[in-house]
């Protein structure tokens, strides 16, 4: 965590976490094919750590279940996230962390689209363009220092 002199959002609003989803017998049965839904995607990304604070993206309301769209039949997942402040310099890193988490967790058939929620960041279009560029994402992940930071965001502190 950065020291308080370098924090952009020194006092972020912390939100209550959703209760864990109860797993049904049907979901545990490997013989039944169940489609991915927004809550399942949310559960995959909710515990990603914020790069500046010892809090999760869920606790900061950076990710919300209502901002996730899933079309299992068309193999599409779209996540809109909301930076805690409109000039957050960590927005690209947060988006990259969400994308990496989903790429690692979902079957490769899925196309993952990660975007800043419209109207919530001063550089929204530029960041969204970066997050949509597969070559830029691949190049970023070849940078060992950046990959290490992403992996730190993905370490699950709740377990």
């Amino acid at each position: 965590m950065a020291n308080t002199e370098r924090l952009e959002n020194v006092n972020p609003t912390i939100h209550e976490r959703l209760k864990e989803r109860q797993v049904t017998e049907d979901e545990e049965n490997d013989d039944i094919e169940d489609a991915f839904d927004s809550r399942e995607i949310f559960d995959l990304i909710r515990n990603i750590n914020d790069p500046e604070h010892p809090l999760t993206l869920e606790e900061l309301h950076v990710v919300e279940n209502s901002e996730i769209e899933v079309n299992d039949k068309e193999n599409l997942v779209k996540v809109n996230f909301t930076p805690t402040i409109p000039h957050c310099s960590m927005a690209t890193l947060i988006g990259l962390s969400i994308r990496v988490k989903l790429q690692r967790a979902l079957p490769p058939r899925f196309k993952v689209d990660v975007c800043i929620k419209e109207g919530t960041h001063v550089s929204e279009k530029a960041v969204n363009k970066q997050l949509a560029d597969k070559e830029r994402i691949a190049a970023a992940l070849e940078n060992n220092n950046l990959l290490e930071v992403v992996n730190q965001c993905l370490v699950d502190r709740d377990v």
Side-chain angles (χ1 to χ4, degrees), residues 58-108:
E58 177 188 17
E59 290 169 321
L60 293 170
H61 266 211
V62 172
V63 295
E64 299 178 66
N65 188 38
S66 62
E67 292 296 328
I68 298 170
E69 299 170 32
V70 178
N71 186 327
D72 192 72
K73 287 185 168 108
E74 294 185 21
N75 304 316
L76 298 172
V77 171
K78 181 172 184 180
V79 176
N80 288 312
F81 69 97
T82 305
T84 58
I85 52 176
H87 56 277
C88 176
S89 65
M90 299 290 169
T92 305
L93 177 60
I94 291 168
L96 184 61
S97 298
I98 293 168
R99 176 179 289 285
V100 168
K101 176 68 175 188
L102 293 176
Q103 286 177 329
R104 289 177 181 174
L106 292 174

Side-chain angles (χ1 to χ4, degrees), residues 38-148:
S38 62
R39 181 56 195 258
E40 192 165 359
I41 301 304
F42 177 74
D43 286 343
L44 289 171
I45 64 174
R46 69 192 290 186
N47 292 321
I48 294 174
N49 301 302
D50 181 80
E52 279 194 311
H53 299 284
L55 299 165
T56 67
L57 297 186
E58 177 188 17
E59 290 169 321
L60 293 170
H61 266 211
V62 172
V63 295
E64 299 178 66
N65 188 38
S66 62
E67 292 296 328
I68 298 170
E69 299 170 32
V70 178
N71 186 327
D72 192 72
K73 287 185 168 108
E74 294 185 21
N75 304 316
L76 298 172
V77 171
K78 181 172 184 180
V79 176
N80 288 312
F81 69 97
T82 305
T84 58
I85 52 176
H87 56 277
C88 176
S89 65
M90 299 290 169
T92 305
L93 177 60
I94 291 168
L96 184 61
S97 298
I98 293 168
R99 176 179 289 285
V100 168
K101 176 68 175 188
L102 293 176
Q103 286 177 329
R104 289 177 181 174
L106 292 174
R109 68 182 171 95
F110 280 99
K111 178 188 183 295
V112 175
D113 188 16
V114 178
C115 300
I116 292 178
K117 183 178 176 183
E118 189 174 336
T120 64
H121 194 274
V122 294
S123 301
E124 164 194 331
K125 287 184 176 139
V127 172
N128 286 344
K129 185 175 180 180
Q130 286 182 319
L131 292 172
D133 187 328
K134 289 180 184 176
E135 290 177 12
R136 277 185 147 167
I137 297 294
L141 296 176
E142 288 177 7
N143 177 323
N144 288 335
N145 293 331
L146 184 55
L147 184 58
E148 187 176 323

